[in-house]
């Protein structure tokens, strides 16, 4: 309530009352600026185009929902309805707050009117007219507020109706989502059942097919075996008979050859008996590539071989030409591929006496070596594991594994990632079997890559050593190079 002091009249007389301002303070920070129009209608002095009424907001949201309903999924539509329901609840809360504010405005307007009425009887003149005008304005505000309350009640009813509609739509959407989810799950289960039935049918068909195929194969094998048995009963195989005969002939031939070799040695020994030293030694070992020949004393009075001078020769089986084997001056000699088809002879000189020992026949090739080399020729580069026993004429103490590469254009010796020698085939290169060296001579070769580098290499087997020699000479011959040992090119060229 407004309290009027005793000196109020004097103050009114001294100072004219200002016109009642349209800015009335309510629950908000300030009262809107109103103007009285025709028929006592209050008109807003300034309108805010950005602020929309509750009815317009609800109408716009409803239009957006209806517009998006056709292009949203069921789940999105349900979410949208839930958002709309939340918005409607918010609008309903705002309407309740506005109703409370409106009630507060009525109370304030009534208090203001009572204050103006009490003030009206105490003023006179122009100030009284201003008070009357203020009272009229307050009454107009009360009328406008009443109309506004009617609109708010109507909007509240519409909001409640919209909220009910949205709630029902949300429930319908949830129900639709549940129905669609149940339908989708049923379809998925049906699809899984169909796929499982198809897989079971395929597995059953594969099992039947496998069983039938196995049964057919067994029956076919039985028929083939039965046909072979009948054929063997009524028509023996001539090929099998010939193979058995050939095998027996080979065995007999090997035995005869061995027996004849022994007879030839006995005959040569009996011929040498005559008072000289020729019957003191003999050649021991198989006369075949891959083995080695050793001078063996056959008498207690035979001089030690270390006191004798030894030299090996190869003799052509056709013309009888004798070729000196350079460096072959030891009691042991391992034939190399150049010696195949030739007769080997060794001369032993002791105290001026000459003893000559000769193989009973030409050196035979190693069984299967030719086919093995032909298989290696197809490769561009062939590797052999070797051990270096000598390097540049000196013994090499290391026994580490090296790799010898025999290629179509060059030879290379490697140890791990390091390359010890790599040379193209040339006239200065030499390659032959080791001429001497004891029992391991059949597995070793001599290779002079260039004039200042030479090695003696030991292979894993006699077959590997002879294959490496034959392969290198084959590739070198394709490069118009005759690869041989020391002093062998002269004999080969003639």
């Amino acid at each position: 309530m407004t309290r009027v002091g005793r000196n109020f009249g004097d103050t009114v007389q001294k100072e004219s009352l200002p016109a009642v301002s349209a800015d009335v303070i309510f629950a908000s920070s300030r009262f809107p600026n109103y103007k009285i129009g025709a028929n006592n209608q209050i008109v807003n002095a300034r309108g805010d185009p950005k602020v929309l009424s509750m009815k317009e907001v609800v109408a716009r949201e409803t239009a957006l929902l209806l517009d998006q309903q056709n292009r949203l999924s069921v789940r999105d539509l349900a979410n949208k309805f839930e958002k709309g329901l939340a918005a409607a609840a918010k609008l309903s809360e705002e309407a309740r707050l506005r109703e409370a504010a409106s009630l507060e405005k009525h109370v304030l307007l009534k208090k203001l009117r009572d204050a103006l009425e009490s003030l009206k009887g105490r003023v006179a003149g122009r100030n009284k007219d201003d008070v009357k005008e203020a009272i009229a304005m307050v009454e107009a505000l009360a009328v406008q507020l009443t109309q506004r309350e009617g609109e708010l009640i109507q909007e509240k009813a519409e909001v409640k109706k919209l909220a009910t509609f949205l709630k029902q739509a949300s429930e319908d959407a949830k129900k639709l989502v549940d129905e669609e989810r149940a339908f989708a799950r049923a379809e998925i289960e049906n699809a899984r059942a169909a796929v499982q039935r198809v897989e079971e049918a395929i597995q059953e068909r594969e099992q039947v097919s496998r069983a039938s195929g196995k049964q057919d194969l067994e029956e076919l094998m039985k028929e083939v075996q039965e046909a072979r048995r009948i054929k063997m009963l009524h028509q023996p195989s001539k090929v099998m008979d010939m193979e058995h005969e050939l095998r027996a002939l080979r065995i007999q031939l090997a035995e005869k050859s061995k027996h004849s070799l022994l007879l030839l040695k006995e005959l040569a020994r009996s011929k040498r008996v005559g008072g000289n030293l020729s019957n003191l030694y003999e050649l021991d070992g198989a006369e075949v590539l891959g083995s080695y020949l050793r001078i063996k004393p056959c008498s207690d009075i035979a001089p030690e071989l270390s006191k004798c001078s030894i030299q090996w020769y190869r003799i052509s089986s056709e013309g009888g030409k004798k070729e000196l084997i350079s460096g072959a001056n030891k009691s042991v000699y391992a034939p190399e591929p150049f010696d195949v088809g030739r007769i080997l002879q060794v001369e032993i000189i002791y105290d001026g006496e000459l003893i000559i020992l000769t193989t009973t026949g030409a050196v035979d090739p190693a069984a299967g070596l030719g086919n093995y080399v032909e298989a290696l020729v197809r490769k561009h580069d062939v590797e052999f594991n070797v051990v270096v026993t000598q390097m540049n004429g000196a013994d090499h103490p290391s026994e580490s594994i090296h790799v010898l590469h025999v290629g179509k254009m060059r030879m290379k010796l490697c140890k791990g990632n390091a390359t010890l020698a790599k040379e193209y085939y040339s006239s200065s290169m030499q390659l032959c079997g080791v001429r001497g060296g004891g029992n391991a001579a059949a597995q070793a070769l001599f290779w002079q890559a260039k004039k200042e580098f030479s090695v003696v290499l030991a292979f894993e087997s006699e077959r590997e050593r002879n294959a490496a020699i034959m392969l290198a000479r084959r590739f070198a011959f394709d490069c118009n190079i005759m690869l041989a040992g020391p002093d062998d090119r002269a004999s080969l060229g003639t």
Side-chain angles (χ1 to χ4, degrees):
M1 295 295 293
T2 304
R3 184 175 182 180
V4 181
R6 296 180 180 178
N7 57 352
F8 181 75
D10 298 336
T11 305
V12 172
Q13 291 178 359
K14 291 180 180 180
E15 297 179 3
S16 60
L17 290 174
V20 178
S21 175
D23 296 333
V24 181
I25 299 175
F26 293 99
S28 61
S29 61
R30 64 176 184 173
F31 199 77
N33 188 11
Y34 291 100
K35 288 186 179 180
I36 299 176
N39 298 324
N40 293 327
Q41 296 291 328
I42 297 176
V43 182
N44 291 333
R46 291 179 298 175
D48 190 359
K50 297 183 180 179
V51 180
L52 299 177
S53 64
M54 187 184 305
K55 187 175 181 179
E56 292 175 349
V57 172
V58 173
R60 187 176 64 177
E61 292 293 332
T62 305
L64 290 175
L65 286 176
L66 293 175
D67 181 49
Q68 294 179 359
Q69 184 177 4
N70 295 328
R71 55 189 178 89
L72 291 175
S73 64
V74 176
R75 189 185 302 275
D76 295 336
L77 186 60
N79 294 333
K80 205 68 177 179
F81 273 119
E82 290 178 358
K83 292 180 180 179
L85 184 60
K90 185 177 180 181
L91 290 175
S92 178
E93 182 66 19
E94 290 179 357
R96 188 182 64 80
L97 295 176
R98 288 187 181 183
E99 184 178 358
S102 176
L103 181 60
E104 185 179 356
K105 290 176 184 179
H106 275 289
V107 174
L108 290 174
L109 286 176
K110 186 177 183 303
K111 291 181 179 181
L112 181 59
R113 189 175 181 281
D114 293 339
L116 291 175
E117 285 291 343
S118 62
L119 184 63
K120 179 180 177 182
R122 298 180 184 183
V123 296
R126 185 179 175 182
N127 291 331
K128 188 174 183 178
D129 294 336
D130 290 338
V131 172
K132 290 180 179 180
E133 184 179 356
I135 291 173
M137 185 178 294
V138 170
E139 292 176 352
L141 284 173
V143 173
Q144 184 70 19
L145 186 58
T146 303
Q147 294 177 358
R148 185 66 176 171
E149 287 178 355
E151 293 178 358
L152 287 175
I153 292 172
Q154 185 178 358
E155 289 179 0
K156 183 177 180 182
E158 292 179 357
V159 169
K160 288 182 178 180
K161 184 177 179 181
L162 179 61
T164 304
F165 170 73
L166 291 175
K167 185 176 181 181
Q168 184 65 31
S170 178
E171 293 177 356
D172 294 341
K174 288 182 179 179
K175 185 183 295 185
L176 183 59
V177 168
D178 294 337
E179 292 178 357
E180 291 294 333
R181 185 181 290 112
F183 179 73
R185 288 177 178 173
E187 290 293 330
I188 292 173
E189 292 297 330
N190 294 335
R192 287 179 179 174
V195 170
Q196 187 175 1
R197 288 196 300 271
V198 171
E199 290 180 352
E200 290 177 356
I202 292 175
Q203 292 178 358
E204 184 178 358
R205 185 174 180 181
E206 288 180 353
Q207 292 177 358
V208 172
S209 177
R210 192 181 297 111
S212 62
K214 187 176 181 180
Q215 184 177 1
D216 295 341
L217 181 61
E218 292 177 354
E219 292 179 356
L220 182 61
M221 291 178 63
K222 290 180 180 179
E223 292 179 359
V224 171
Q225 292 176 358
E226 184 66 19
R228 287 179 178 175
R229 188 182 65 82
I230 295 174
K231 185 176 180 180
M232 291 294 293
L233 289 175
H234 297 279
Q235 186 179 359
S237 176
K238 296 181 180 180
V239 177
M240 293 180 63
D241 294 341
M242 293 177 64
E243 287 180 355
H244 287 300
E245 292 177 2
L246 287 174
R247 191 175 301 155
L249 289 174
R250 287 196 187 105
I251 295 173
Q252 293 179 6
L253 182 61
E255 292 177 355
K256 295 291 184 182
S257 176
K258 186 176 181 180
H259 184 65
S260 63
L261 182 61
L262 293 175
L263 291 177
L264 288 174
K265 288 183 178 181
E266 291 292 334
L267 181 60
R269 186 179 303 163
S270 63
K271 288 181 179 180
R272 289 196 298 268
V273 176
N276 55 13
L277 299 176
S278 60
N279 59 344
L280 300 179
Y281 303 97
E282 66 176 356
L283 291 178
D284 183 34
E287 299 172 0
V288 63
L289 183 63
S291 63
Y292 62 92
L293 298 174
R294 178 188 297 273
I295 302 174
K296 178 181 177 182
C298 55
S299 176
D300 295 336
I301 62 174
E304 295 182 5
L305 293 175
S306 60
K307 298 179 181 180
C308 301
S309 174
I310 301 173
Q311 181 60 52
W312 291 81
Y313 298 88
R314 63 173 65 96
I315 301 175
S316 175
S317 58
E318 298 177 355
K321 181 181 178 180
K322 185 167 70 172
E323 302 170 1
L324 182 141
I325 304 175
S326 178
N329 50 16
K330 306 293 182 180
S331 61
V332 176
Y333 177 75
E336 65 157 284
F338 270 158
D339 299 326
V340 175
R342 301 185 182 187
I343 298 172
L344 296 179
Q345 185 182 89
V346 58
E347 293 182 355
I348 306 171
I349 300 177
Y350 175 75
D351 196 17
E353 295 288 337
L354 177 63
I355 302 173
I356 299 176
L357 301 177
T358 308
T359 57
T360 57
V363 176
D364 296 327
L369 181 61
N371 295 331
Y372 179 59
V373 173
E374 289 299 326
L376 296 178
V377 168
R378 301 186 183 95
K379 299 181 180 180
H380 185 271
D381 184 85
V382 183
E383 299 179 359
F384 298 95
N385 293 329
V386 297
V387 175
V388 178
T389 59
Q390 289 185 6
M391 183 177 292
N392 295 326
D395 292 339
H396 196 267
S398 175
E399 296 183 358
S400 58
I401 301 298
H402 295 61
V403 179
L404 178 66
H405 297 263
V406 180
K408 291 185 178 294
M409 301 294 295
R410 65 185 181 184
M411 294 179 65
K412 181 171 65 172
L413 180 63
C414 299
K415 180 183 179 182
N417 296 327
T419 301
L420 302 182
K422 180 173 66 174
E423 294 294 330
Y424 289 92
Y425 297 115
S426 63
S427 57
S428 62
M429 184 180 292
Q430 295 181 4
L431 183 70
C432 63
V434 170
R435 294 166 180 180
N439 300 341
Q443 299 181 12
L445 63 77
F446 169 80
W447 178 44
Q448 179 179 302
K450 48 188 176 181
K451 292 183 179 180
E452 60 272 12
F453 182 82
S454 63
V455 289
V456 174
L457 305 176
F459 287 74
E460 295 178 348
S461 64
E462 297 84 356
R463 184 185 187 189
E464 296 289 323
R465 172 254 203 180
N466 294 319
I469 296 175
M470 295 176 65
L471 192 65
R473 288 174 177 173
R474 176 78 171 269
F475 290 154
F477 184 78
D478 294 338
C479 298
N480 296 324
I481 300 296
M482 186 64 66
L483 194 59
D487 301 329
D488 285 346
R489 288 189 178 90
S491 61
L492 291 172
T494 57

